[in-house]
Amino acid sequence: MGEQARSRRGRLRGWRDRGTGGGGTGLAFLGVLAFSGSIPATVYAIRGFDPWLVAVGRATIAGAIALICLKAARHPLLPPRSEWPAYALIVLGVVIGFPVFSSLALALGASAAHSAVIVGLLPAATAVCAVLRASERPRPLFWAACTAGAAAITTFTLIQHQGKPSWPDLLLLGALLSAAIGYTEGGRLARHTPGWRVISHALVLSLPLTVPITAFLALTTPITLTGEAVAGFAYVSVISMFVGFIPWYAGLARGGIARAGQTQLTQPLLTLTWAWVLMGERFGPSTVVAALAVLVCVAVTQRART
């Protein structure tokens, strides 16, 4: 009987573990689905607001929401001081870095489809950051796939701009690296802190910086209130900057950065779909080929790392 009971407990534990991993992957995909609309929404927003105001203002609005949620749940507004360095990286990465770089790139002429392809390398960049932070030793295939993905992006940008990179491309590269750092640190912290609290603490910590800048920009930059501009600003402020991170960080913590992070393979294709459906953007075969090449390379990095 004892052996049978142990066997039964083992099977139940296995089912429970598989359910947790599956739950992590599902949660991560919800985050990816939310993030996939960020670039088209930013394009809409900067049609009525200054790109700097969109980049910083979204963090101010999301920070106010985070403040209310923390107060309502009776949690401390700030994280432990020992974790402030990690939260500082999240602020620099996903609260400030990615919004600023991506907004400026789109304002300078990068299309949503073009941006989606370049940012599509984000899972590989996140994996590299996770490797460096966790002192892992992935197989050579991991680094080969990362190099191939970077080469695919470089080739794509050079073809698009007649042999030389443009400022929007360099800004998108900055957005890519910023998000990778913020995702890695958030995934690490979410292992012992709920995902919604991780992004909430990061947003609240940034408020002393984002509030005065937002106020200044709102008073000194031209604003054209249209339905699509307001909707785009609302999306990046509420969904991209706050709501999306709740399932994303929770998914990375439950399913593992390597496993759950594979869901982000779908983000470039989802963004291309939104750009086509919502904005009527047309993109040639080179864009689709580049997106698929990046998808394959990133898929190999995720599998080679685990």
Side-chain angles (χ1 to χ4, degrees):
M1 276 304 280
E3 188 65 33
Q4 290 179 347
R6 282 193 295 271
S7 177
R8 189 180 300 111
R9 285 196 298 269
R11 288 195 299 271
L12 289 173
R13 187 181 300 114
W15 294 334
R16 185 173 62 248
D17 292 343
R18 287 194 292 272
T20 301
T25 301
L27 286 170
F29 179 75
L30 290 177
V32 169
L33 190 61
F35 296 148
S36 67
S38 299
I39 290 176
T42 301
V43 173
Y44 280 142
I46 61 178
R47 290 176 180 175
F49 301 90
D50 183 85
W52 285 97
L53 177 57
V54 173
V56 182
R58 62 194 275 183
T60 299
I61 295 173
I65 296 173
L67 194 66
I68 293 171
C69 290
L70 288 171
K71 289 286 288 183
R74 298 184 179 180
H75 286 295
L77 299 182
L78 300 177
R81 283 187 174 270
S82 61
E83 295 178 348
W84 280 25
Y87 278 98
L89 290 175
I90 296 176
V91 170
L92 292 174
V94 298
V95 176
I96 302 296
F98 182 85
V100 168
F101 286 130
S102 60
S103 294
L104 293 179
L106 293 167
L108 290 176
S111 68
H114 183 87
S115 303
V117 174
I118 295 179
V119 177
L121 201 59
L122 180 54
T126 303
V128 171
C129 290
V131 165
L132 296 175
R133 288 288 290 166
S135 300
E136 296 178 4
R137 295 183 181 274
R139 291 179 286 169
L141 181 60
F142 172 87
W143 299 110
C146 286
T147 302
I153 291 298
T154 302
T155 302
F156 172 72
T157 55
L158 292 178
I159 290 175
Q160 292 284 305
H161 298 289
Q162 290 77 47
K164 55 184 178 181
S166 64
W167 274 111
D169 292 325
L170 297 178
L171 290 167
L172 288 170
L173 178 61
L176 168 71
L177 296 176
S178 298
I181 293 171
Y183 285 176
T184 301
E185 293 304 314
R188 290 178 60 249
L189 290 172
R191 291 171 179 169
H192 57 78
T193 303
W196 75 271
R197 284 173 53 191
V198 172
I199 190 59
S200 293
H201 286 317
L203 288 166
V204 170
L205 280 171
S206 71
L207 284 176
L209 176 66
T210 59
V211 168
I213 295 177
T214 299
F216 173 78
L217 291 172
L219 293 173
T220 58
T221 59
I223 296 176
T224 303
L225 294 178
T226 64
E228 66 176 23
V230 172
F233 203 168
Y235 187 96
V236 296
S237 300
V238 179
I239 306 300
S240 303
M241 196 81 262
F242 184 70
V243 174
F245 279 100
I246 297 174
W248 174 244
Y249 280 155
L252 292 182
R254 291 181 64 180
I257 295 176
R259 180 178 180 182
Q262 293 185 38
T263 58
Q264 206 171 30
L265 294 171
T266 61
Q267 186 166 328
L269 298 179
L270 285 171
T271 300
L272 288 176
T273 301
W274 300 140
W276 173 59
V277 172
L278 298 176
M279 307 171 65
E281 278 200 10
R282 295 170 179 257
F283 39 85
S286 62
T287 301
V288 177
V289 170
L292 292 175
V294 170
L295 189 152
V296 171
C297 292
V298 173
V300 173
T301 65
Q302 299 289 39
R303 293 188 176 277
R305 180 173 170 249
T306 56

mmCIF file of all heavy atoms in Angstrom, residues 48-95:
data_model
loop_
_atom_site.group_PDB
_atom_site.id
_atom_site.type_symbol
_atom_site.label_atom_id
_atom_site.label_comp_id
_atom_site.label_asym_id
_atom_site.label_seq_id
_atom_site.Cartn_x
_atom_site.Cartn_y
_atom_site.Cartn_z
ATOM 1 N N GLY A 48 -1.098 62.248 -32.741
ATOM 2 C CA GLY A 48 -1.743 63.347 -32.028
ATOM 3 C C GLY A 48 -0.937 63.908 -30.868
ATOM 4 O O GLY A 48 -1.243 64.988 -30.367
ATOM 5 N N PHE A 49 0.090 63.164 -30.446
ATOM 6 C CA PHE A 49 0.911 63.589 -29.310
ATOM 7 C C PHE A 49 2.389 63.544 -29.686
ATOM 8 O O PHE A 49 2.801 62.759 -30.541
ATOM 9 C CB PHE A 49 0.668 62.675 -28.098
ATOM 10 C CG PHE A 49 -0.751 62.638 -27.616
ATOM 11 C CD1 PHE A 49 -1.649 61.712 -28.118
ATOM 12 C CD2 PHE A 49 -1.190 63.540 -26.652
ATOM 13 C CE1 PHE A 49 -2.962 61.667 -27.677
ATOM 14 C CE2 PHE A 49 -2.503 63.502 -26.198
ATOM 15 C CZ PHE A 49 -3.394 62.568 -26.716
ATOM 16 N N ASP A 50 3.166 64.385 -29.033
ATOM 17 C CA ASP A 50 4.617 64.365 -29.225
ATOM 18 C C ASP A 50 5.170 62.991 -28.829
ATOM 19 O O ASP A 50 4.734 62.416 -27.815
ATOM 20 C CB ASP A 50 5.266 65.446 -28.349
ATOM 21 C CG ASP A 50 6.762 65.530 -28.541
ATOM 22 O OD1 ASP A 50 7.204 66.209 -29.472
ATOM 23 O OD2 ASP A 50 7.490 64.885 -27.746
ATOM 24 N N PRO A 51 6.111 62.438 -29.605
ATOM 25 C CA PRO A 51 6.630 61.096 -29.274
ATOM 26 C C PRO A 51 7.254 61.010 -27.890
ATOM 27 O O PRO A 51 7.157 59.968 -27.230
ATOM 28 C CB PRO A 51 7.655 60.824 -30.378
ATOM 29 C CG PRO A 51 7.930 62.143 -31.009
ATOM 30 C CD PRO A 51 6.692 62.949 -30.852
ATOM 31 N N TRP A 52 7.877 62.085 -27.419
ATOM 32 C CA TRP A 52 8.438 62.076 -26.064
ATOM 33 C C TRP A 52 7.317 62.007 -25.024
ATOM 34 O O TRP A 52 7.449 61.322 -24.000
ATOM 35 C CB TRP A 52 9.290 63.312 -25.821
ATOM 36 C CG TRP A 52 10.622 63.283 -26.485
ATOM 37 C CD1 TRP A 52 10.963 63.854 -27.681
ATOM 38 C CD2 TRP A 52 11.803 62.628 -26.006
ATOM 39 N NE1 TRP A 52 12.281 63.593 -27.971
ATOM 40 C CE2 TRP A 52 12.833 62.850 -26.963
ATOM 41 C CE3 TRP A 52 12.098 61.873 -24.864
ATOM 42 C CZ2 TRP A 52 14.122 62.359 -26.813
ATOM 43 C CZ3 TRP A 52 13.382 61.386 -24.710
ATOM 44 C CH2 TRP A 52 14.379 61.611 -25.661
ATOM 45 N N LEU A 53 6.221 62.726 -25.297
ATOM 46 C CA LEU A 53 5.087 62.704 -24.374
ATOM 47 C C LEU A 53 4.454 61.313 -24.335
ATOM 48 O O LEU A 53 4.072 60.827 -23.265
ATOM 49 C CB LEU A 53 4.047 63.741 -24.797
ATOM 50 C CG LEU A 53 2.760 63.801 -23.958
ATOM 51 C CD1 LEU A 53 3.077 64.060 -22.495
ATOM 52 C CD2 LEU A 53 1.820 64.882 -24.508
ATOM 53 N N VAL A 54 4.358 60.659 -25.487
ATOM 54 C CA VAL A 54 3.822 59.302 -25.529
ATOM 55 C C VAL A 54 4.709 58.355 -24.733
ATOM 56 O O VAL A 54 4.221 57.523 -23.958
ATOM 57 C CB VAL A 54 3.696 58.812 -26.986
ATOM 58 C CG1 VAL A 54 3.298 57.339 -27.030
ATOM 59 C CG2 VAL A 54 2.680 59.654 -27.749
ATOM 60 N N ALA A 55 6.024 58.489 -24.917
ATOM 61 C CA ALA A 55 6.977 57.575 -24.272
ATOM 62 C C ALA A 55 6.976 57.716 -22.758
ATOM 63 O O ALA A 55 6.982 56.712 -22.029
ATOM 64 C CB ALA A 55 8.379 57.818 -24.824
ATOM 65 N N VAL A 56 6.975 58.953 -22.266
ATOM 66 C CA VAL A 56 7.057 59.183 -20.819
ATOM 67 C C VAL A 56 5.674 59.218 -20.184
ATOM 68 O O VAL A 56 5.468 58.722 -19.073
ATOM 69 C CB VAL A 56 7.818 60.488 -20.520
ATOM 70 C CG1 VAL A 56 7.956 60.703 -19.009
ATOM 71 C CG2 VAL A 56 9.202 60.466 -21.175
ATOM 72 N N GLY A 57 4.708 59.771 -20.903
ATOM 73 C CA GLY A 57 3.366 59.886 -20.354
ATOM 74 C C GLY A 57 2.714 58.540 -20.093
ATOM 75 O O GLY A 57 1.943 58.388 -19.127
ATOM 76 N N ARG A 58 3.013 57.544 -20.926
ATOM 77 C CA ARG A 58 2.429 56.222 -20.706
ATOM 78 C C ARG A 58 2.875 55.644 -19.372
ATOM 79 O O ARG A 58 2.100 54.967 -18.688
ATOM 80 C CB ARG A 58 2.806 55.279 -21.854
ATOM 81 C CG ARG A 58 4.276 55.030 -21.991
ATOM 82 C CD ARG A 58 4.658 54.376 -23.321
ATOM 83 N NE ARG A 58 4.532 52.926 -23.260
ATOM 84 C CZ ARG A 58 4.865 52.108 -24.276
ATOM 85 N NH1 ARG A 58 5.310 52.630 -25.418
ATOM 86 N NH2 ARG A 58 4.744 50.810 -24.151
ATOM 87 N N ALA A 59 4.126 55.918 -18.983
ATOM 88 C CA ALA A 59 4.623 55.430 -17.702
ATOM 89 C C ALA A 59 3.972 56.172 -16.538
ATOM 90 O O ALA A 59 3.745 55.593 -15.465
ATOM 91 C CB ALA A 59 6.142 55.581 -17.639
ATOM 92 N N THR A 60 3.657 57.454 -16.732
ATOM 93 C CA THR A 60 2.991 58.229 -15.680
ATOM 94 C C THR A 60 1.580 57.703 -15.436
ATOM 95 O O THR A 60 1.157 57.505 -14.289
ATOM 96 C CB THR A 60 2.933 59.711 -16.069
ATOM 97 O OG1 THR A 60 4.268 60.210 -16.234
ATOM 98 C CG2 THR A 60 2.229 60.528 -14.996
ATOM 99 N N ILE A 61 0.833 57.476 -16.516
ATOM 100 C CA ILE A 61 -0.532 56.956 -16.382
ATOM 101 C C ILE A 61 -0.513 55.565 -15.762
ATOM 102 O O ILE A 61 -1.271 55.258 -14.831
ATOM 103 C CB ILE A 61 -1.223 56.928 -17.756
ATOM 104 C CG1 ILE A 61 -1.397 58.355 -18.278
ATOM 105 C CG2 ILE A 61 -2.581 56.222 -17.654
ATOM 106 C CD1 ILE A 61 -1.909 58.426 -19.706
ATOM 107 N N ALA A 62 0.364 54.700 -16.263
ATOM 108 C CA ALA A 62 0.462 53.349 -15.709
ATOM 109 C C ALA A 62 0.929 53.383 -14.262
ATOM 110 O O ALA A 62 0.486 52.573 -13.429
ATOM 111 C CB ALA A 62 1.425 52.510 -16.547
ATOM 112 N N GLY A 63 1.812 54.333 -13.937
ATOM 113 C CA GLY A 63 2.285 54.465 -12.558
ATOM 114 C C GLY A 63 1.165 54.851 -11.603
ATOM 115 O O GLY A 63 1.114 54.367 -10.466
ATOM 116 N N ALA A 64 0.266 55.710 -12.072
ATOM 117 C CA ALA A 64 -0.883 56.088 -11.238
ATOM 118 C C ALA A 64 -1.782 54.877 -10.991
ATOM 119 O O ALA A 64 -2.276 54.667 -9.868
ATOM 120 C CB ALA A 64 -1.662 57.199 -11.916
ATOM 121 N N ILE A 65 -1.986 54.074 -12.023
ATOM 122 C CA ILE A 65 -2.791 52.856 -11.866
ATOM 123 C C ILE A 65 -2.115 51.898 -10.893
ATOM 124 O O ILE A 65 -2.761 51.299 -10.014
ATOM 125 C CB ILE A 65 -2.992 52.174 -13.235
ATOM 126 C CG1 ILE A 65 -3.791 53.087 -14.165
ATOM 127 C CG2 ILE A 65 -3.709 50.829 -13.064
ATOM 128 C CD1 ILE A 65 -3.883 52.563 -15.589
ATOM 129 N N ALA A 66 -0.805 51.741 -11.027
ATOM 130 C CA ALA A 66 -0.049 50.850 -10.141
ATOM 131 C C ALA A 66 -0.132 51.321 -8.694
ATOM 132 O O ALA A 66 -0.278 50.515 -7.764
ATOM 133 C CB ALA A 66 1.411 50.788 -10.584
ATOM 134 N N LEU A 67 -0.059 52.631 -8.494
ATOM 135 C CA LEU A 67 -0.145 53.205 -7.148
ATOM 136 C C LEU A 67 -1.494 52.872 -6.515
ATOM 137 O O LEU A 67 -1.567 52.459 -5.346
ATOM 138 C CB LEU A 67 0.045 54.721 -7.246
ATOM 139 C CG LEU A 67 0.316 55.478 -5.946
ATOM 140 C CD1 LEU A 67 1.663 55.097 -5.352
ATOM 141 C CD2 LEU A 67 0.270 56.980 -6.215
ATOM 142 N N ILE A 68 -2.551 53.022 -7.274
ATOM 143 C CA ILE A 68 -3.894 52.723 -6.774
ATOM 144 C C ILE A 68 -4.020 51.241 -6.429
ATOM 145 O O ILE A 68 -4.585 50.869 -5.386
ATOM 146 C CB ILE A 68 -4.951 53.134 -7.813
ATOM 147 C CG1 ILE A 68 -4.969 54.655 -7.974
ATOM 148 C CG2 ILE A 68 -6.333 52.620 -7.417
ATOM 149 C CD1 ILE A 68 -5.830 55.151 -9.124
ATOM 150 N N CYS A 69 -3.502 50.376 -7.296
ATOM 151 C CA CYS A 69 -3.604 48.929 -7.069
ATOM 152 C C CYS A 69 -2.839 48.509 -5.814
ATOM 153 O O CYS A 69 -3.328 47.690 -5.014
ATOM 154 C CB CYS A 69 -3.074 48.168 -8.288
ATOM 155 S SG CYS A 69 -4.125 48.294 -9.747
ATOM 156 N N LEU A 70 -1.642 49.040 -5.632
ATOM 157 C CA LEU A 70 -0.848 48.698 -4.450
ATOM 158 C C LEU A 70 -1.528 49.179 -3.176
ATOM 159 O O LEU A 70 -1.553 48.470 -2.161
ATOM 160 C CB LEU A 70 0.554 49.292 -4.567
ATOM 161 C CG LEU A 70 1.491 48.628 -5.577
ATOM 162 C CD1 LEU A 70 2.764 49.460 -5.757
ATOM 163 C CD2 LEU A 70 1.860 47.209 -5.124
ATOM 164 N N LYS A 71 -2.078 50.397 -3.223
ATOM 165 C CA LYS A 71 -2.773 50.930 -2.054
ATOM 166 C C LYS A 71 -4.021 50.108 -1.744
ATOM 167 O O LYS A 71 -4.293 49.790 -0.579
ATOM 168 C CB LYS A 71 -3.156 52.391 -2.304
ATOM 169 C CG LYS A 71 -1.984 53.351 -2.313
ATOM 170 C CD LYS A 71 -1.422 53.637 -0.944
ATOM 171 C CE LYS A 71 -2.349 54.511 -0.146
ATOM 172 N NZ LYS A 71 -1.746 54.854 1.182
ATOM 173 N N ALA A 72 -4.776 49.753 -2.789
ATOM 174 C CA ALA A 72 -6.009 48.987 -2.590
ATOM 175 C C ALA A 72 -5.715 47.610 -2.016
ATOM 176 O O ALA A 72 -6.481 47.084 -1.193
ATOM 177 C CB ALA A 72 -6.767 48.857 -3.916
ATOM 178 N N ALA A 73 -4.598 47.010 -2.432
ATOM 179 C CA ALA A 73 -4.218 45.682 -1.935
ATOM 180 C C ALA A 73 -3.439 45.754 -0.629
ATOM 181 O O ALA A 73 -3.057 44.714 -0.082
ATOM 182 C CB ALA A 73 -3.396 44.944 -2.996
ATOM 183 N N ARG A 74 -3.184 46.966 -0.152
ATOM 184 C CA ARG A 74 -2.464 47.203 1.111
ATOM 185 C C ARG A 74 -1.061 46.601 1.094
ATOM 186 O O ARG A 74 -0.615 45.999 2.072
ATOM 187 C CB ARG A 74 -3.278 46.670 2.296
ATOM 188 C CG ARG A 74 -4.618 47.368 2.461
ATOM 189 C CD ARG A 74 -5.365 46.886 3.685
ATOM 190 N NE ARG A 74 -6.645 47.587 3.844
ATOM 191 C CZ ARG A 74 -7.508 47.373 4.828
ATOM 192 N NH1 ARG A 74 -7.228 46.448 5.752
ATOM 193 N NH2 ARG A 74 -8.631 48.046 4.892
ATOM 194 N N HIS A 75 -0.391 46.777 -0.026
ATOM 195 C CA HIS A 75 0.999 46.358 -0.143
ATOM 196 C C HIS A 75 1.895 47.587 -0.054
ATOM 197 O O HIS A 75 1.463 48.704 -0.374
ATOM 198 C CB HIS A 75 1.246 45.651 -1.479
ATOM 199 C CG HIS A 75 0.669 44.268 -1.551
ATOM 200 N ND1 HIS A 75 1.120 43.234 -0.758
ATOM 201 C CD2 HIS A 75 -0.320 43.743 -2.329
ATOM 202 C CE1 HIS A 75 0.438 42.138 -1.038
ATOM 203 N NE2 HIS A 75 -0.449 42.422 -1.974
ATOM 204 N N PRO A 76 3.147 47.426 0.356
ATOM 205 C CA PRO A 76 4.081 48.552 0.364
ATOM 206 C C PRO A 76 4.214 49.148 -1.040
ATOM 207 O O PRO A 76 4.210 48.411 -2.034
ATOM 208 C CB PRO A 76 5.400 47.926 0.831
ATOM 209 C CG PRO A 76 5.003 46.683 1.558
ATOM 210 C CD PRO A 76 3.763 46.185 0.881
ATOM 211 N N LEU A 77 4.332 50.466 -1.114
ATOM 212 C CA LEU A 77 4.450 51.107 -2.422
ATOM 213 C C LEU A 77 5.822 50.878 -3.047
ATOM 214 O O LEU A 77 5.953 50.914 -4.276
ATOM 215 C CB LEU A 77 4.189 52.617 -2.290
ATOM 216 C CG LEU A 77 2.799 53.024 -1.782
ATOM 217 C CD1 LEU A 77 2.674 54.538 -1.762
ATOM 218 C CD2 LEU A 77 1.706 52.407 -2.657
ATOM 219 N N LEU A 78 6.820 50.652 -2.200
ATOM 220 C CA LEU A 78 8.176 50.459 -2.701
ATOM 221 C C LEU A 78 8.683 49.068 -2.345
ATOM 222 O O LEU A 78 8.316 48.510 -1.304
ATOM 223 C CB LEU A 78 9.116 51.519 -2.112
ATOM 224 C CG LEU A 78 8.762 52.986 -2.429
ATOM 225 C CD1 LEU A 78 9.739 53.922 -1.720
ATOM 226 C CD2 LEU A 78 8.785 53.237 -3.938
ATOM 227 N N PRO A 79 9.533 48.501 -3.180
ATOM 228 C CA PRO A 79 10.090 47.175 -2.896
ATOM 229 C C PRO A 79 11.203 47.274 -1.850
ATOM 230 O O PRO A 79 11.625 48.384 -1.503
ATOM 231 C CB PRO A 79 10.660 46.744 -4.254
ATOM 232 C CG PRO A 79 11.068 48.040 -4.886
ATOM 233 C CD PRO A 79 10.020 49.037 -4.465
ATOM 234 N N PRO A 80 11.702 46.142 -1.337
ATOM 235 C CA PRO A 80 12.825 46.185 -0.405
ATOM 236 C C PRO A 80 14.034 46.881 -1.029
ATOM 237 O O PRO A 80 14.308 46.726 -2.226
ATOM 238 C CB PRO A 80 13.118 44.696 -0.143
ATOM 239 C CG PRO A 80 11.840 43.995 -0.471
ATOM 240 C CD PRO A 80 11.217 44.764 -1.583
ATOM 241 N N ARG A 81 14.763 47.627 -0.233
ATOM 242 C CA ARG A 81 15.914 48.381 -0.757
ATOM 243 C C ARG A 81 16.956 47.475 -1.395
ATOM 244 O O ARG A 81 17.651 47.873 -2.331
ATOM 245 C CB ARG A 81 16.556 49.213 0.355
ATOM 246 C CG ARG A 81 15.787 50.473 0.697
ATOM 247 C CD ARG A 81 16.550 51.335 1.688
ATOM 248 N NE ARG A 81 15.870 52.594 1.906
ATOM 249 C CZ ARG A 81 16.077 53.694 1.188
ATOM 250 N NH1 ARG A 81 16.947 53.663 0.191
ATOM 251 N NH2 ARG A 81 15.429 54.812 1.451
ATOM 252 N N SER A 82 17.056 46.257 -0.899
ATOM 253 C CA SER A 82 18.046 45.332 -1.454
ATOM 254 C C SER A 82 17.763 44.996 -2.916
ATOM 255 O O SER A 82 18.660 44.570 -3.655
ATOM 256 C CB SER A 82 18.082 44.041 -0.631
ATOM 257 O OG SER A 82 16.815 43.389 -0.660
ATOM 258 N N GLU A 83 16.504 45.189 -3.354
ATOM 259 C CA GLU A 83 16.120 44.865 -4.724
ATOM 260 C C GLU A 83 16.065 46.095 -5.623
ATOM 261 O O GLU A 83 15.754 45.975 -6.814
ATOM 262 C CB GLU A 83 14.763 44.159 -4.730
ATOM 263 C CG GLU A 83 14.780 42.802 -4.031
ATOM 264 C CD GLU A 83 13.409 42.144 -4.021
ATOM 265 O OE1 GLU A 83 12.413 42.838 -4.341
ATOM 266 O OE2 GLU A 83 13.326 40.948 -3.690
ATOM 267 N N TRP A 84 16.384 47.257 -5.099
ATOM 268 C CA TRP A 84 16.298 48.474 -5.901
ATOM 269 C C TRP A 84 17.193 48.441 -7.144
ATOM 270 O O TRP A 84 16.784 48.942 -8.195
ATOM 271 C CB TRP A 84 16.604 49.696 -5.040
ATOM 272 C CG TRP A 84 15.424 50.131 -4.212
ATOM 273 C CD1 TRP A 84 14.382 49.355 -3.788
ATOM 274 C CD2 TRP A 84 15.165 51.439 -3.692
ATOM 275 N NE1 TRP A 84 13.493 50.082 -3.040
ATOM 276 C CE2 TRP A 84 13.946 51.364 -2.958
ATOM 277 C CE3 TRP A 84 15.832 52.650 -3.766
ATOM 278 C CZ2 TRP A 84 13.402 52.476 -2.326
ATOM 279 C CZ3 TRP A 84 15.287 53.765 -3.127
ATOM 280 C CH2 TRP A 84 14.083 53.684 -2.423
ATOM 281 N N PRO A 85 18.404 47.884 -7.082
ATOM 282 C CA PRO A 85 19.218 47.823 -8.313
ATOM 283 C C PRO A 85 18.520 47.058 -9.435
ATOM 284 O O PRO A 85 18.566 47.483 -10.603
ATOM 285 C CB PRO A 85 20.494 47.105 -7.854
ATOM 286 C CG PRO A 85 20.600 47.431 -6.401
ATOM 287 C CD PRO A 85 19.187 47.434 -5.901
ATOM 288 N N ALA A 86 17.872 45.941 -9.097
ATOM 289 C CA ALA A 86 17.152 45.175 -10.123
ATOM 290 C C ALA A 86 15.976 45.984 -10.661
ATOM 291 O O ALA A 86 15.709 45.998 -11.877
ATOM 292 C CB ALA A 86 16.667 43.845 -9.558
ATOM 293 N N TYR A 87 15.251 46.666 -9.773
ATOM 294 C CA TYR A 87 14.125 47.480 -10.219
ATOM 295 C C TYR A 87 14.601 48.673 -11.054
ATOM 296 O O TYR A 87 13.895 49.119 -11.973
ATOM 297 C CB TYR A 87 13.304 47.962 -9.029
ATOM 298 C CG TYR A 87 12.310 46.926 -8.539
ATOM 299 C CD1 TYR A 87 12.595 46.104 -7.455
ATOM 300 C CD2 TYR A 87 11.093 46.756 -9.185
ATOM 301 C CE1 TYR A 87 11.687 45.147 -7.024
ATOM 302 C CE2 TYR A 87 10.173 45.803 -8.771
ATOM 303 C CZ TYR A 87 10.485 45.007 -7.688
ATOM 304 O OH TYR A 87 9.579 44.055 -7.286
ATOM 305 N N ALA A 88 15.774 49.188 -10.739
ATOM 306 C CA ALA A 88 16.316 50.288 -11.544
ATOM 307 C C ALA A 88 16.543 49.829 -12.984
ATOM 308 O O ALA A 88 16.301 50.587 -13.938
ATOM 309 C CB ALA A 88 17.626 50.786 -10.936
ATOM 310 N N LEU A 89 16.984 48.583 -13.153
ATOM 311 C CA LEU A 89 17.176 48.050 -14.502
ATOM 312 C C LEU A 89 15.840 47.885 -15.228
ATOM 313 O O LEU A 89 15.749 48.103 -16.440
ATOM 314 C CB LEU A 89 17.916 46.715 -14.442
ATOM 315 C CG LEU A 89 19.389 46.777 -14.025
ATOM 316 C CD1 LEU A 89 19.974 45.376 -13.890
ATOM 317 C CD2 LEU A 89 20.194 47.590 -15.039
ATOM 318 N N ILE A 90 14.798 47.499 -14.477
ATOM 319 C CA ILE A 90 13.471 47.383 -15.091
ATOM 320 C C ILE A 90 12.989 48.756 -15.542
ATOM 321 O O ILE A 90 12.449 48.921 -16.643
ATOM 322 C CB ILE A 90 12.466 46.763 -14.107
ATOM 323 C CG1 ILE A 90 12.869 45.326 -13.766
ATOM 324 C CG2 ILE A 90 11.062 46.774 -14.701
ATOM 325 C CD1 ILE A 90 11.984 44.677 -12.718
ATOM 326 N N VAL A 91 13.190 49.768 -14.695
ATOM 327 C CA VAL A 91 12.778 51.130 -15.042
ATOM 328 C C VAL A 91 13.519 51.604 -16.291
ATOM 329 O O VAL A 91 12.914 52.118 -17.239
ATOM 330 C CB VAL A 91 13.031 52.089 -13.861
ATOM 331 C CG1 VAL A 91 12.830 53.541 -14.301
ATOM 332 C CG2 VAL A 91 12.106 51.761 -12.692
ATOM 333 N N LEU A 92 14.835 51.438 -16.288
ATOM 334 C CA LEU A 92 15.625 51.868 -17.441
ATOM 335 C C LEU A 92 15.279 51.069 -18.693
ATOM 336 O O LEU A 92 15.323 51.602 -19.809
ATOM 337 C CB LEU A 92 17.119 51.724 -17.135
ATOM 338 C CG LEU A 92 17.692 52.667 -16.074
ATOM 339 C CD1 LEU A 92 19.137 52.312 -15.777
ATOM 340 C CD2 LEU A 92 17.584 54.112 -16.536
ATOM 341 N N GLY A 93 14.906 49.789 -18.504
ATOM 342 C CA GLY A 93 14.654 48.924 -19.647
ATOM 343 C C GLY A 93 13.281 49.075 -20.256
ATOM 344 O O GLY A 93 13.148 49.461 -21.423
ATOM 345 N N VAL A 94 12.220 48.774 -19.475
ATOM 346 C CA VAL A 94 10.879 48.720 -20.056
ATOM 347 C C VAL A 94 9.995 49.919 -19.714
ATOM 348 O O VAL A 94 9.010 50.172 -20.414
ATOM 349 C CB VAL A 94 10.144 47.419 -19.646
ATOM 350 C CG1 VAL A 94 10.886 46.207 -20.164
ATOM 351 C CG2 VAL A 94 9.967 47.339 -18.136
ATOM 352 N N VAL A 95 10.338 50.668 -18.658
ATOM 353 C CA VAL A 95 9.534 51.838 -18.308
ATOM 354 C C VAL A 95 9.985 53.065 -19.101
ATOM 355 O O VAL A 95 9.160 53.861 -19.564
ATOM 356 C CB VAL A 95 9.598 52.117 -16.795
ATOM 357 C CG1 VAL A 95 8.826 53.398 -16.442
ATOM 358 C CG2 VAL A 95 9.038 50.944 -16.007
#
